[in-house]
Structures are given as structure tokens and as C-alpha cells.
Amino acid sequence: MAVPASSSSETPRPLVGLSVASLKALMSEWGQPAYRATQVYKWVHHHQVRDFQEMTNLSKELRTRLADHFILENLRLKTRQISSDGTRKYLWTIPSGHDIESVFIPEEKRTTICISSQVGCALGCSFCATARMGFLQNLTTGEIVEQIIRVQQDTGVKITNVVLMGMGEPFLNYPRVIDACKIMSDPEGLAIAAKKVTISTVGIVPRIRQFSEEDQPFSLAISLHAPTQALRQSIMPVADKFSLEELMDSAREYTRITRKRITFEYVLLAGVNDNLRQARELLKLLSPLKCKLNLIPYNDTGLGYDLPAQERQATFLEALSRAPFTVTLRKNRGNDIAAACGQLYAKSREDEQPRFIAQPPDARAPQIL
Ligand code: SAH
């Protein structure tokens, strides 16, 4: 990303999310040695300073010049809710005026953050709250990365795991998401292990193929939710565009090229996809693959579905007990603050009606290709 020539009259731009390469261009324009770029990059992404004056290995003049042209905080914290289990949900306002959400999930051995990649979502999965917003906007690389920095600053806890499972479809914002993941995993950036950064996709087949061909070091999760094409189509409109067969083919290709395990997510919806026959179909579908299955108990979003009863969940799990892959049943976190999977639905006013956007509103609209 090129940094345009700067004049003192311009509005300050966010510094978070700028790569070393773009900072090098800026430093050269400012007549500074190239190594200053790495120093600035590290202060922002690694040390995560909140004030330019803390960048102590830079000259006073350079610090002042940076402060004149850039800002360190681009997201405005709107609300923060803390659950009885320690989960925290943050609502941020981005410069366009829209709100996005991030969820902090502390556990004994790891600390996970669930972040957003878009404002709203275009995919329309019938059980997901974010789908009700429609697609509004892609987030920038900086807006994606800053969610982690700000939560880390707020909690004082080092984030060990990132999941792109908040609002939006990461693979419909591919280049920015990948750039953001690179900064997250860069030892001079946020220094989070690349394999602990998981991108969850609804199943945008061409982007799964691209992700494999590029041999990206990040982990991949696919929202499967149904063992057959017909059922998948009935709950996930994306299946009209990319069939289950194509999806499984791209998943196989991913495991072949990268030699990595893929995670399939399967939200349990009572009376829809939770019977024994479907468990067996799922077993058959996934057995040939190097994968892991993560069953997600449905979080009620008032969209007409129910969470299967405990025994039914147990029976489904039991039917998969001899699977050649690992099966986990996700524990719900932060339910008292509606921070669980699929519950992220940012609205600025409580009385605001959900927005349905049939056509993406502008040129930044994602294309399902
Ligand atoms: N667009 C990405 C990220 C979505 S959110 C994707 O589709 O993978 C992460 C996961 O939460 C997805 O598997 C999504 O299908 C699931 N999810 C959505 N609504 C849910 C709900 N109400 N209960 C449980 N999981 C839900």
C-alpha cells in the first residue's frame, strides 16, 4: 500500500495496519533512513504504544511529525460488556460511523479473540444474527488488526489465539484479511503463532483454492452445517453458488497441498440437522479427509431455530465416536452478554430495525466469485 505524499493540512491517518514496506516509502519521502520504518512498525504493532512520545528510539522531531500525520486509535470504543465467565464483548465505531464487534474469551491455557472482518455480512445464513444486517462495508487491514491491539491493551492479557469468526465473511475481504493475518503473525508485529490464527469461511470455493495455492500458514475452518447439498441449500444460500461437492473438493485440495488439517464447523439446529442419519452422513462425508469437526450448539438469535436437547446433542456426538477425526462440542461462552457465535449483531440504537440489503451498496461490495 503506497502512502500518499503528506501535507500538514490532511486529516491524520491510522498507523495501525501499515506494512513495513509502506512505512519505508513514507520514511524515504520524509528523508529518514529505511530502518526507521521497522522501528515505527514495531512500536505500533509489537509494543502497542498509545502515545507517539513512547517511541523512544525515534528523534523528537520524527515523533512529532508522526503525531501530526497519524493516529494510533482509529476505532472508538462504544460499549464493553463483561460476562460472568470473563468473556468480554466490545462494540467499536469505525470512522464510517458503523459499529463492529469483537469478543475476548479467556481460558486456562489460551486467550482467544474473535474478531470481525466486515460490517454486516452478505451471505444470509438463516440462523445467523449478523446476516440480518446485510452487507455494509469491508474493514481495512488496520481496522481488523486494531481490534486485537485495543483488547490486549484493555485487558493487559496477551492474546494467543485469533479466530475470524465475528461479523462478516473473511474470504469476501480476502486481501485485507490476509494482510492483517500477516501482521498478527509477524514476530515483529503482534507475534501470534500463524497456526493459531484461524480464518473461518462460509465456503467461498475460489478463495479456499487461492488460500491453498498460496500455502498460507494460517488455519482454516469451514462452516459446513449440513451433510447434504439439499439441506445446506435450505439453510445457507451460499450453497446455491458453490455446491457441497465443489466445497469438499476444495477442502480435499487444501489438505493435499498444505498437508494441514481443516476444521469443519457444524451448528446443531434442533430438528434440522441433528438426527442420527445426518450424523452418519457427516461421518461418511468427512472420514476421507484430514480434518477436525467442531459441533457448535446453536445460540438463540430469535431466528426460528432451537438448540437440540442435551440428550440429542449427546446422541449425535456418540454417533461420531468412532470417527477417524477429532470431534469436539463447543462450550458456549458469554451467553449472558450475547457474545456467543452467531449472535453478533451490531445496531446503533436498540429500536433500530434490522436492515436487509439486497444489493451491496457500493463499489467496495464483495463479489461471490
Ligand atoms: N462468515 C464466516 C464467519 C461466521 S461466524 C463463516 O461463515 O464461517 C463463525 C461461525 O458461527 C460460523 O460457523 C457460523 O455459521 C456460526 N454461527 C452463525 N450463527 C450461529 C448461531 N446462531 N449459533 C451458533 N453458531 C452460529
Side-chain angles (χ1 to χ4, degrees):
M1 193 193 328
V3 174
S6 34
S7 77
S8 52
S9 60
E10 75 191 16
T11 17
R13 304 174 56 222
L15 203 46
V16 173
L18 291 190
S19 63
V20 173
S22 50
L23 286 166
K24 274 190 179 150
L26 177 79
M27 289 304 139
S28 119
E29 193 189 312
W30 284 3
Q32 294 281 336
Y35 68 85
R36 291 277 181 233
T38 312
Q39 290 178 323
V40 173
Y41 175 87
K42 278 183 79 171
W43 282 120
V44 175
H45 301 102
H46 194 79
H47 304 298
Q48 304 176 0
V49 294
R50 290 174 208 228
D51 193 314
F52 289 95
Q53 296 317 318
E54 289 174 54
M55 302 183 175
T56 46
N57 58 1
L58 307 183
S59 69
K60 239 179 145 160
E61 292 70 36
L62 182 55
R63 281 183 248 165
T64 309
R65 194 163 184 192
L66 281 168
D68 283 346
H69 292 87
F70 290 96
I71 48 169
L72 288 167
E73 291 192 352
N74 190 36
L75 305 177
R76 189 168 58 76
L77 179 62
K78 190 169 180 182
T79 54
R80 185 190 69 173
Q81 288 170 278
I82 305 181
S83 158
S84 51
D85 66 14
T87 301
R88 294 179 178 211
K89 183 165 87 166
Y90 297 81
L91 190 61
W92 314 99
T93 305
I94 64 170
S96 65
H98 292 304
D99 295 335
I100 54 157
E101 290 178 302
S102 323
V103 182
F104 167 81
I105 311 150
E107 287 172 286
E108 226 169 82
K109 293 202 178 104
R110 60 180 176 192
T111 305
T112 305
I113 185 171
C114 175
I115 57 171
S116 298
S117 56
Q118 296 183 317
V119 186
C121 184
L123 274 315
C125 297
S126 60
F127 44 83
C128 177
T130 305
R132 292 160 62 202
M133 296 172 70
F135 169 76
L136 295 168
Q137 186 184 326
N138 277 328
L139 295 187
T140 63
T141 299
E143 287 160 353
I144 298 169
V145 171
E146 192 180 326
Q147 296 171 60
I148 310 171
I149 295 180
R150 296 288 293 280
V151 168
Q152 215 160 254
Q153 287 171 338
D154 181 56
T155 57
V157 178
K158 167 92 173 85
I159 304 285
T160 60
N161 294 58
V162 178
V163 292
L164 281 111
M165 295 185 186
M167 291 164 59
E169 168 50 42
F171 275 1
L172 288 185
N173 190 12
Y174 191 89
R176 296 176 195 87
V177 162
I178 296 293
D179 284 350
C181 292
K182 284 182 183 156
I183 296 176
M184 291 173 209
S185 61
D186 183 355
E188 298 197 320
L190 273 65
I192 298 168
K195 66 170 194 280
K196 303 261 164 99
V197 174
T198 302
I199 301 178
S200 175
T201 178
V202 73
I204 310 294
V205 170
R207 294 292 84 80
I208 296 174
R209 294 198 189 282
Q210 183 179 352
F211 190 75
S212 312
E213 279 153 21
E214 292 170 354
D215 204 2
Q216 296 290 354
F218 317 109
S219 293
L220 182 65
I222 293 180
S223 295
L224 188 63
H225 305 329
T228 63
Q229 167 68 0
L231 181 62
R232 199 161 187 269
Q233 265 178 308
S234 72
I235 55 175
M236 301 173 77
V238 70
D240 294 339
K241 181 88 186 171
F242 303 116
S243 70
L244 181 61
E245 205 184 321
E246 288 174 273
L247 178 62
M248 295 311 289
D249 192 57
S250 68
R252 244 186 321 274
E253 191 72 355
Y254 170 84
T255 57
R256 192 185 62 76
I257 297 178
T258 66
R259 306 197 169 277
K260 283 199 292 243
R261 197 158 70 146
I262 203 163
T263 300
F264 288 98
E265 294 159 278
Y266 192 98
V267 57
L268 289 168
L269 304 167
V272 176
N273 66 358
D274 67 334
N275 70 36
L276 267 181
R277 181 178 45 82
Q278 289 158 332
R280 286 187 205 112
E281 284 169 341
L282 193 56
L283 180 62
K284 197 164 161 225
L285 184 72
L286 300 185
S287 287
L289 271 162
K290 185 173 174 180
C291 68
K292 187 166 91 179
L293 175 66
N294 194 0
L295 302 172
I296 316 173
Y298 168 66
N299 293 301
D300 200 354
T301 47
L303 293 170
Y305 293 99
D306 293 308
L307 171 67
Q310 288 290 336
E311 316 83 75
R312 216 170 153 88
Q313 291 184 36
T315 312
F316 196 88
L317 196 61
E318 171 60 28
L320 294 161
S321 61
R322 286 206 205 98
F325 47 86
T326 310
V327 185
T328 51
L329 182 64
R330 189 180 295 172
K331 210 170 97 201
N332 273 344
R333 299 284 307 252
N335 257 342
D336 53 340
I337 55 167
C341 235
Q343 289 185 317
L344 304 186
Y345 170 39
K347 45 185 176 167
S348 10
R349 296 200 324 267
E350 270 313 300
D351 58 351
E352 192 181 331
Q353 286 302 305
R355 286 201 240 182
F356 292 90
I357 295 187
Q359 289 298 318
D362 61 26
R364 288 163 299 177
Q367 297 295 312
I368 303 183
L369 281 173

